[in-house]
Amino acid sequence: MPDDWERVDTGTPDPRMLSTARTIAEDSEPLVTTVTFDDPLDPETLHLHTDAGIRADTGRFDITWTTKHYYKYHYTEGPTFNYRYDRHPRIDLPDEHFHEPPAAGHDDAVPSCIDVETVRLVTLAVLQLWRDTVESGDVDQLQQPDPP
């Protein structure tokens, strides 16, 4: 079943918000090694490549922010390990929800521990939760009761 992100009006990608997320990631996380947009002239997705991973040596965040202030932070290490923090309307969950690893499927969603809504705070929280998980190897760190 497709995620609700595909079925509701979440707005169009917001290049300004994506640029802000890029700057925050570059300034705050040294393990983010390469930062690119899917399209430099009309970006829809920001790609953050990491020099460390949870189950692999490297990983990547694919980030989307929209004009309606919805977001998607999809982390992948290829087909075998994925998770995602989302903010968008869902029928069965709060707007802020988390698609659990390893598949990050629609049915794997639970309420997110991230309840802030600004691009700066969400980006910092996502990166810190990822960093805590990389350092500990414990995927439960992705959903801490009191996120950073």
Side-chain angles (χ1 to χ4, degrees):
M1 174 188 292
D3 190 29
D4 293 335
W5 182 273
E6 320 303 336
R7 295 192 296 256
V8 297
D9 179 13
T10 56
T12 58
D14 187 331
R16 185 179 54 84
M17 301 290 263
L18 292 173
S19 292
T20 300
R22 176 192 63 197
T23 300
I24 292 163
E26 289 174 328
D27 291 350
S28 65
E29 180 49 70
L31 292 175
V32 170
T33 55
T34 306
V35 179
T36 60
F37 290 107
D38 61 331
D39 180 339
L41 298 177
D42 190 21
E44 293 185 11
T45 304
L46 171 65
H47 303 290
L48 306 179
H49 298 266
T50 63
D51 201 19
I54 297 168
R55 299 282 185 260
D57 292 336
T58 62
R60 183 185 76 236
F61 283 97
D62 298 325
I63 301 170
T64 300
W65 273 87
T66 73
T67 54
K68 291 190 174 187
H69 300 281
Y70 294 123
Y71 61 75
K72 181 177 357 181
Y73 284 72
H74 175 211
Y75 177 78
T76 184
E77 291 176 1
T80 60
F81 189 80
N82 292 269
Y83 66 85
R84 191 171 77 239
Y85 297 96
D86 283 359
R87 180 175 189 278
H88 64 85
R90 276 201 57 154
I91 296 167
D92 57 339
L93 289 168
D95 286 358
E96 295 85 7
H97 52 276
F98 176 68
H99 296 265
E100 299 181 305
H106 178 76
D107 294 331
D108 297 332
V110 297
S112 177
C113 67
I114 299 174
D115 60 5
V116 294
E117 297 178 9
T118 67
V119 66
R120 179 181 186 286
L121 294 177
V122 172
T123 303
L124 289 171
V126 167
L127 291 173
Q128 187 61 56
L129 292 164
W130 169 80
R131 171 66 89 127
D132 291 350
T133 304
V134 167
E135 290 177 353
S136 70
D138 179 7
V139 295
D140 290 339
Q141 294 296 307
L142 294 171
Q143 279 281 84
Q144 296 176 25
D146 296 310

